[in-house]
Amino acid sequence: MIQDATNRSILAYLRANGRASNSEIARSIGLSEAAVRQRIKRLLAARVIRFRAVVDASFLGVNVTYFIRATVRSRAYGQFAMVMRDLPPVAFLSRTSGSFNAFLALVAPDEDFAKLFLESWFENNPNVLRYEADRFRKVYKYDPDRSMINGVIDDFQSFELPGEPFSRWLSTEFRQVDNPLPNPTRENEECGSD
Amino acid sequence: MIVKLDALDEGIVRQLVADPRATNAALARLVGLSESAVAVRVNRMVAEKALRLTVERDALSEGLELHVLALVEVDPEFIDDVALKISALSEIDVVFGTERAGALTLLFFAADMDHLNSVVSLIESVSDKIQFVGVHIAGEVYKYSTSYGLLS
């Protein structure tokens, strides 16, 4: 469906400006406005495309980003993933195959928060066998026109204003939690041991 | 870059995240501005790279089944040069530099293992300053927050 040359022209136009009107697109590629509208509607319905408004992270109070490569105990992976998924500062989490099994992006207002977060959730987590965290320095290319529209288990849609998510995670839930994971390994090991 | 957005900008952005194709007229009603004032603000935020309005294509629908995370080790002295050369490859979607000297993080899609290997060869061929390309295939994606990105 997307291979169609007309659709490609429409998408190329929309890629540069996702808010271009149907009539503007129609004029530029020599199609009727109704035809453009119909084609976009079909692509959306088939979940072959989606429109996105992407906000710069700094607008949300994010000044520090870390990429974390972690090796998580296999038996505790499901629980680890569920806990991480619900933490607002975790922007991305994927299971990977290779020399580590979890790749995460952590977003934070500052270095102090990031360190505290890493210490509590990774350094002191019995389910994390080892991890490496690299602070993001520079974007050379950020051009994800292809995405995982249909492959994502939980597409995180929430959008919060600066200050809100982080102050909350630092001052209440985050700091008061001494043992963030409620002994998942111990339970699992007991169940799994012969 | 420090992006300063006022309360009206924030109102517009909230609406756009929820519905990127909302008309200016609809946005104007929701935030209490004129249609032309909304258009000016949206254009300004896009120009300042506080906001990107775009369309994404589904990789799976195009037969790209492997989502690949690659870690590239480069002679630190040549990192910018190599990063720009890799960025020029249309196959690669994302190139990030981190504070670890000589390390680049890449994201791209591939149809299958043969395709993946050909992309890795392509990356390796852009510069003899590349020391190693490590590849990891993303399996289950538990969270993929695309409402905010590193635009600036």
Side-chain angles (χ1 to χ4, degrees), chain A residues 17-29:
Chain A
N17 177 12
R19 281 174 56 71
S21 69
N22 293 340
S23 54
E24 183 185 338
I25 301 165
R27 267 197 309 279
S28 101
I29 63 170

Side-chain angles (χ1 to χ4, degrees), chain A residues 79-192:
Chain A
Q79 182 169 12
F80 170 84
M82 291 309 125
V83 170
M84 286 296 133
R85 193 180 68 172
D86 291 339
L87 294 172
V90 174
F92 181 88
L93 166 61
S94 166
R95 190 164 191 150
T96 62
S97 58
S99 56
F100 49 88
N101 62 7
F103 182 73
L104 302 92
L106 162 68
V107 295
D110 52 44
E111 189 71 20
D112 286 348
F113 177 93
K115 291 231 162 94
L116 208 55
F117 190 95
L118 287 169
E119 206 174 288
S120 168
W121 293 100
F122 288 83
E123 193 74 41
N124 299 323
N125 187 337
N127 290 325
V128 175
L129 302 177
R130 55 191 164 272
Y131 76 98
E132 282 183 295
D134 285 339
R135 187 175 163 173
F136 156 83
R137 177 178 58 89
K138 184 173 181 180
V139 183
Y140 292 98
K141 185 176 190 179
Y142 183 74
D143 207 11
D145 74 317
R146 294 172 301 195
S147 186
M148 293 174 291
I149 297 176
N150 297 309
V152 181
I153 292 171
D154 178 29
D155 188 22
F156 184 61
Q157 290 288 343
S158 84
F159 171 71
E160 300 190 67
L161 292 176
E164 288 178 20
F166 298 111
S167 56
R168 191 170 68 234
W169 285 98
L170 275 176
S171 61
T172 58
E173 297 172 66
F174 184 76
R175 276 196 175 141
Q176 284 171 15
V177 175
D178 293 324
N179 186 6
L181 287 183
N183 298 324
T185 21
R186 228 164 288 160
E187 284 166 30
N188 287 348
E189 278 171 358
E190 274 167 19
C191 298

